[in-house]
Amino acid sequence: MIHTDICGSFPIPSWNGQQYFISFIDDYSRYAYLFLIHEKSQSLDVFKSFKAEVENQLNKRIKSVRSDRGGEYYGRYDESGEQRPGPFAKYLEECGIVPQYTMPRSPSMNGVAERRNRTLKDMVRSMICHSILPESLWGEALKTTAYILNRVPTKAATKTPYELWIGRKPSLKHFHVWVCPVEARSYKPNEKKLDSRTVSSYFIGYSERSRGYKFYDPILKTIFETGTTTFFEDIEFGGKNQIRKFVLEEESVIIPEPIQTITFDEVSSEPPQNIADEPHTQDDLVVREEQTQDPQQPMLHEPAPLRRSMRERRSVILDDYVVFPQENEDPNNDVMEDDPITVRQAIQDPNSEKMD
């Protein structure tokens, strides 16, 4: 099964003017193919090329394709509001490939492709922000990230995607730091004897159909490929520690809501009734006097009286309860001073017999 999704459009076109990219990911190995496209309508042509290469190289046929329910995959909506099968869906039916579409507004059902696209965008955003090259090189950075992810381990498989797809372990000896300065030997058909043999440029990717690398010449502002070069990965160059802001997000399209207009024909043409001709009652005069008051002057209202309880208040202490005064509250201070303090005084007191 193949997972596919289209990502874009992006605000900044790539080096060759593409604003979208489409990915095809194998469900078993997680090996991914990535193509830059100008429009979403090119998805069918790109899939035909991908299908022909895969089936010819692996001697296997594609059984099913999982994608979202976008117009480039399923089809466009007609005037009646029903989604009709488009060229991509019809081609899958002709080839005997079973399509698997997600439900509307459910991108999680196509999670393999969605997560891969998010990982690719995060890596590209980090690479562009820490470089001094033009932002239009995000397409080359995107191809480099896809190249790297195919050769590193993944949690979805026991081996690397490259080993499961090709059948042998990948080599990582040719990996280099992206955008590192290099001295590359470019091909110059009209090169003279005393001309410089190398070009000071930057490494931006790996060659797709050759055993070489891609480089960017900042002076001529061109991209060229060669295999004879010297990398300077340990040398710091200007702008390495300067982080710039780079936005690599899809542009959202806002569809304005239709504005309802009212014509003069819809307005009632009946003349307004003259209020002065109608008879007035006493209640109408009172209401109109209230309406003619100045709205800026606040209405003065008398404060409403507080509402008090009409219940009879009862004493907290019952009538049969006797409260004895404290020492500091007893008016007969003399008696309080004659009270015995010790045991001997209490025994010798004449009222000792009453102290039981």
Side-chain angles (χ1 to χ4, degrees):
M1 182 173 63
I2 300 297
H3 303 265
T4 179
D5 186 36
I6 296 179
C7 194
S9 65
F10 299 107
I12 301 176
S14 65
W15 186 258
N16 294 325
Q18 296 94 342
Q19 290 184 301
Y20 302 85
F21 72 87
I22 183 173
S23 58
F24 300 100
I25 307 169
D26 178 47
D27 182 72
Y28 171 70
S29 63
R30 293 296 194 270
Y31 191 88
Y33 280 73
L34 189 139
F35 302 92
L36 297 175
I37 56 179
H38 293 84
E39 299 176 354
K40 290 186 177 181
S41 58
Q42 299 178 353
S43 58
L44 179 57
D45 297 334
V46 173
F47 178 74
K48 290 180 179 180
S49 302
F50 164 75
K51 177 178 176 296
E53 178 181 348
V54 169
E55 293 181 351
N56 184 37
Q57 297 296 327
L58 302 180
N59 293 326
K60 297 180 181 179
R61 298 181 62 86
I62 299 176
K63 302 299 179 60
S64 61
V65 175
R66 177 175 295 178
S67 64
D68 54 23
R69 198 176 285 268
E72 62 277 3
Y73 291 115
Y74 190 89
R76 304 293 180 181
Y77 289 90
D78 55 8
E79 298 178 356
S80 63
E82 185 177 357
Q83 194 174 12
R84 302 290 183 179
F88 200 101
K90 293 180 180 179
Y91 179 77
L92 296 180
E93 184 178 358
E94 293 175 359
C95 297
I97 301 175
V98 179
Q100 297 181 6
Y101 301 108
T102 62
M103 296 301 294
R105 299 187 180 277
S106 300
S108 59
M109 300 180 68
N110 192 23
V112 175
E114 294 289 346
R115 288 191 298 269
R116 176 59 64 91
N117 290 346
R118 183 182 62 183
T119 303
L120 291 173
K121 290 188 296 183
D122 291 344
M123 294 177 65
V124 170
R125 190 181 300 108
S126 177
M127 294 164 67
I128 295 295
C129 290
H130 290 79
S131 68
I132 59 175
L133 299 186
E135 296 180 354
S136 58
L137 292 176
W138 64 264
E140 300 299 329
L142 190 67
K143 294 180 182 179
T144 304
T145 55
Y147 186 89
I148 295 173
L149 291 178
N150 285 336
R151 288 161 175 79
V152 296
T154 175
K155 295 181 180 179
T158 57
K159 301 179 181 179
T160 61
Y162 183 90
E163 185 175 358
L164 295 175
W165 185 262
I166 303 298
R168 63 176 183 272
K169 293 185 179 180
S171 176
L172 306 181
K173 296 180 180 180
H174 61 288
F175 275 20
H176 296 282
V177 179
W178 197 73
V179 194
C180 66
V182 299
E183 289 293 331
R185 179 74 165 86
S186 62
Y187 173 72
K188 299 178 181 179
N190 299 324
E191 185 179 34
K192 298 181 181 179
K193 297 292 185 180
L194 299 180
D195 290 345
S196 176
R197 294 293 186 265
T198 60
V199 178
S200 299
S201 55
Y202 296 97
F203 166 70
I204 60 172
Y206 305 92
S207 180
E208 299 176 3
R209 305 299 179 184
S210 304
R211 296 186 62 179
Y213 306 94
K214 289 183 179 180
F215 304 98
Y216 173 74
D217 187 356
I219 299 177
L220 300 179
K221 296 182 179 181
T222 57
I223 297 177
F224 63 94
E225 297 182 4
T226 183
T228 306
T229 181
T230 302
F231 295 88
F232 301 96
E233 300 177 342
D234 299 333
I235 298 178
E236 297 184 0
F237 53 93
K240 182 175 181 180
N241 297 326
Q242 298 179 3
I243 301 177
R244 58 178 176 176
K245 183 178 180 181
F246 175 67
V247 179
L248 188 65
E249 297 293 341
E250 302 180 30
E251 295 180 340
S252 59
V253 180
I254 302 176
I255 302 176
E257 298 181 356
I259 301 175
Q260 183 180 3
T261 58
I262 302 176
T263 59
F264 291 98
D265 297 338
E266 300 178 357
V267 183
S268 177
S269 59
E270 297 181 1
Q273 297 180 0
N274 190 0
I275 302 177
D277 297 340
E278 298 179 356
H280 303 288
T281 61
Q282 188 67 21
D283 296 338
D284 296 339
L285 294 177
V286 174
V287 174
R288 294 190 181 184
E289 288 180 1
E290 294 179 356
Q291 295 179 353
T292 54
Q293 292 182 359
D294 190 0
Q296 297 181 357
Q297 296 181 359
M299 299 292 293
L300 299 178
H301 300 281
E302 296 182 0
L306 298 177
R307 182 179 179 183
R308 300 184 180 277
S309 177
M310 303 301 295
R311 294 183 300 176
E312 182 182 357
R313 295 188 177 182
R314 298 181 180 179
S315 177
V316 179
I317 303 175
L318 301 178
D319 297 337
D320 57 350
Y321 185 81
V322 180
V323 180
F324 294 95
Q326 300 292 333
E327 293 182 2
N328 55 357
E329 296 179 358
D330 190 358
N332 301 323
N333 294 332
D334 298 339
V335 178
M336 299 299 295
E337 293 179 356
D338 296 338
D339 289 345
I341 299 176
T342 62
V343 178
R344 181 176 296 178
Q345 293 178 2
I347 297 173
Q348 295 176 0
D349 191 274
N351 298 325
S352 60
E353 297 179 356
K354 300 180 180 180
M355 298 180 184
D356 293 337

